Amino acid sequence: HEFNNNTKGRNVSASISIPIKDAFHGTKRQINIGLKAVEINIPKGVKTGQKLRVKGHGQKGQTEQLNGDLIVEITVIENTDFYVDNKGLHTIIKVDAMDAILGIKTNISVFDNTYKFEIPSGVQNGTTLRMKKKGWPIFGKNEERGDLYVTVLITMPNDLSDEEIRAISKIRDHINGRRQKEKDSSSS
């Protein structure tokens, strides 16, 4: 009596949501499939919509080799500081208007890493600066990273003293005067 021993188990689909920090570092999660708990390894650098295949953890087949697979779809939960798209990892840095005028060296934290970061003088509000190889881990490449995109938001000081306001007014008048002179001499 022959019996058909290539009865393959079906694949089983599941979905899982993980915080962006865990997707950045890689993590382990348990998924319950029926009565069994399956631990899955989520490599660093996964993105929303990516599917991971866990061999042999779908429906049972005639033999272990014929078990189906577990297909896990990932959703990465972004936070207020970071988001990921096809280009890479994005964040925002708030810069005081005075520092934006003069330029500033500062630190920027990307999860557990801190990098020195230079904001050039005269940077405009909404400018995106790029830090090479400091961004999202490249999936499947152990230590490689994409670029980090930093958008500058310029904040206005609202705590200036009368003396500071007078000093800034003088600078403004000086700049306006210089620009007027330049305009007059270029139009003649």
Side-chain angles (χ1 to χ4, degrees):
H1 48 268
E2 283 182 47
F3 53 99
N4 175 10
N5 65 358
N6 53 7
T7 331
K8 188 162 169 33
R10 284 212 312 271
N11 290 345
V12 172
S13 295
S15 55
I16 195 166
S17 297
I18 57 171
I20 192 167
K21 186 176 179 178
D22 287 349
F24 181 86
H25 288 300
T27 187
K28 288 179 163 55
R29 281 287 189 280
Q30 275 204 348
I31 287 191
N32 294 320
I33 303 295
L35 298 172
K36 65 174 191 234
V38 180
E39 185 172 73
I40 60 167
N41 238 335
I42 302 175
K44 59 178 152 191
V46 292
K47 290 183 179 171
T48 291
Q50 198 163 342
K51 292 184 166 90
L52 302 177
R53 179 182 292 267
V54 188
K55 284 244 176 273
H57 280 290
Q59 286 191 342
K60 287 240 177 294
Q62 189 89 27
T63 65
E64 208 152 294
Q65 279 69 40
L66 293 171
N67 284 357
D69 298 334
L70 170 61
I71 312 288
V72 183
E73 185 168 348
I74 304 288
T75 300
V76 176
I77 306 160
E78 291 166 347
N79 64 21
T80 49
D81 298 322
F82 293 99
Y83 76 90
V84 184
D85 65 9
N86 290 334
K87 224 163 112 175
L89 184 63
H90 298 256
T91 190
I92 286 170
I93 192 167
K94 289 186 173 156
V95 179
D96 182 86
M98 299 294 150
D99 292 331
I101 291 168
L102 300 170
I104 186 178
K105 285 185 168 70
T106 183
N107 287 330
I108 194 158
S109 290
V110 181
F111 303 105
D112 305 339
N113 307 301
T114 301
Y115 304 114
K116 290 198 179 342
F117 187 63
E118 194 162 333
I119 305 222
S121 62
V123 68
Q124 299 296 308
N125 189 48
T127 299
T128 298
L129 304 170
R130 184 169 70 144
M131 289 184 81
K132 286 200 160 143
K133 309 275 181 221
K134 299 284 188 263
W136 197 246
I138 295 170
F139 184 81
K141 302 225 172 144
N142 207 14
E143 294 308 319
E144 277 188 58
R145 296 258 191 90
D147 298 336
L148 176 68
Y149 295 89
V150 183
T151 299
V152 177
L153 287 189
I154 296 174
T155 57
M156 289 299 148
N158 55 7
D159 57 349
L160 296 175
S161 68
D162 291 346
E163 195 184 340
E164 287 162 343
I165 287 169
R166 279 196 296 277
I168 292 171
S169 299
K170 272 193 185 137
I171 293 167
R172 183 184 63 187
D173 295 344
H174 178 83
I175 291 170
N176 287 344
R178 171 176 62 78
R179 285 183 180 150
Q180 194 54 54
K181 265 195 205 124
E182 285 167 3
K183 219 159 122 189
D184 294 345
S185 67
S186 70
S187 62
S188 58

